[in-house]
Amino acid sequence: MTQTTNPVVTLTGACKAFGSHQVLLDVSLSVAPGEVVAIIGPSGGGKSTLLRCLTLLETLDAGTLSYGDLVAAQSNGGRIAYASTPTLKQVRSRFGLVFQNYNLFPHLTVMQNITDAPVRVQRRPRDEVEAKARDLIAEMGLKGCEDKVPCQLSGGQQQRVSIARALAMNPEVLYFDEPTSALDPELTAEVLRVIKDLAAQNMTMVVVTHEMGFAREVAQRVIFLDGGTIVEEGPATQVIDHPREARTQAFLSRLAD
C-alpha cells in the first residue's frame, strides 16, 4: 500500500449520462491512504455507475480522475480526454474491484482464479504469486479449497475468493460493489468479517453497501449519493445516526421501517 499522504484516488466534477438520463452530476471525492469510505443511497442513485467510472469500466462525460501521480482522465475544452493505453494500464494496477456477483472464471480452480492475472497481466514470477495466493487463501478461511472450482463453493466462499483475487494484484485501493447483496445473512456476516479485517490492516477501501451497521462500524466516512449528486458526507456516525439533510433522513428512515 502507498506510504504517501496524498490521496490514493481523486475524482473532480464527474458527470455521466446515458442518453438523456443524467446519472452523475458534478460528483467529487478523494480517498486517503488507509481510509474506508462507504457509499450509500437508493437504487438508481448512481452508486454503481460511480464505481464503474472510478474503475474505468465506464467513461466519464466530464471531470478529472487521477490515481496518485497518474491522471487517467481530464476534461479539456468541454471534452473528456483519457490517458494513453500504457498509462491506463498503470492506473488499473493501482485498484482492485470486487463485484456483487463474484465474476470468477467458472472453469478455473480457486488457485488459478487468484493467480491468473498477477502472472499474465502483471508478469510477476509464478512462484511469488502462488506463495502470495496461499497466504490469501489462508487469510480468507479457504484452506482446502485450492483445487475446487467456483460451483463447488458457497456464495460466501466465492466472494472471499473474489476478494483474494483482487488483493493478489497488490492494489492501493479496493472497491466493493454491494459485496453482500447476493448472499443470505449468514454468508453476509462471513464476507463483512473479511472486510473488517482488511480495514484493521489499513487497506484503503471504497464500499458501496446497503449494510448500515457495517458502514457505521467500519467506514471512517460515509457518502450519501442520490439523484447522481452527493447529498451528504461526513463521519459514519454523523451521517447514519444524525443525518443533517432531509433526503438522507428520509432514506435512512425507510430502511428502519
Side-chain angles (χ1 to χ4, degrees), residues 8-230:
V8 175
V9 57
T10 303
L11 181 69
T12 307
C15 296
K16 177 66 180 176
F18 295 105
S20 61
H21 179 48
Q22 193 73 41
V23 183
L24 298 176
L25 184 61
D26 196 22
V27 172
S28 297
L29 65 88
S30 64
V31 184
E35 187 178 22
V36 181
V37 177
I39 301 176
I40 64 171
S43 297
K47 304 185 302 298
S48 289
T49 299
L50 173 59
L51 225 56
R52 290 178 66 82
C53 289
L54 286 167
T55 56
L56 307 179
L57 293 173
E58 296 284 356
T59 54
L60 293 164
D61 297 331
T64 301
L65 172 63
S66 59
Y67 281 83
D69 58 330
L70 297 176
V71 178
Q74 191 164 24
S75 286
N76 187 4
R79 299 185 66 178
I80 191 85
Y82 273 78
S84 64
T85 299
T87 298
L88 291 180
K89 184 177 179 181
Q90 283 184 273
V91 167
R92 287 188 176 93
S93 74
R94 296 194 177 185
F95 63 77
L97 174 59
V98 177
F99 298 90
Q100 53 185 308
N101 292 318
Y102 328 132
N103 280 31
L104 298 173
F105 294 112
H107 60 290
L108 298 185
T109 65
V110 167
M111 177 62 82
Q112 290 168 334
N113 263 287
I114 295 170
T115 58
D116 182 63
V119 171
R120 285 198 312 108
V121 178
Q122 295 182 328
R123 306 209 176 280
R124 286 156 51 196
R126 182 171 291 278
D127 289 351
E128 171 205 307
V129 171
E130 289 185 349
K132 168 96 172 179
R134 282 190 288 273
D135 289 344
L136 287 168
I137 285 168
E139 186 180 340
M140 297 294 139
L142 293 166
K143 267 194 167 181
C145 296
E146 292 86 346
D147 297 324
K148 292 183 178 180
V149 292
C151 67
Q152 296 174 301
L153 305 174
S154 70
Q157 288 173 321
Q158 289 186 61
Q159 191 61 294
R160 283 180 278 151
V161 174
S162 181
I163 295 170
R165 179 180 62 180
L167 289 170
M169 301 289 282
N170 294 326
E172 294 181 5
V173 56
L174 200 52
Y175 295 106
F176 293 85
D177 187 9
E178 297 276 14
T180 61
S181 65
L183 304 177
D184 65 34
E186 184 178 353
L187 299 180
T188 291
E190 283 180 17
V191 173
L192 295 183
R193 191 158 52 244
V194 167
I195 300 174
K196 288 175 188 175
D197 289 345
L198 292 173
Q201 297 168 33
N202 292 320
M203 183 72 209
T204 309
M205 293 184 283
V206 177
V207 187
V208 171
T209 185
H210 59 275
E211 300 281 345
M212 294 304 121
F214 165 75
R216 184 192 293 108
E217 184 178 348
V218 176
Q220 283 94 22
R221 183 157 51 103
V222 168
I223 292 172
F224 175 61
L225 193 69
D226 188 16
T229 64
I230 294 177

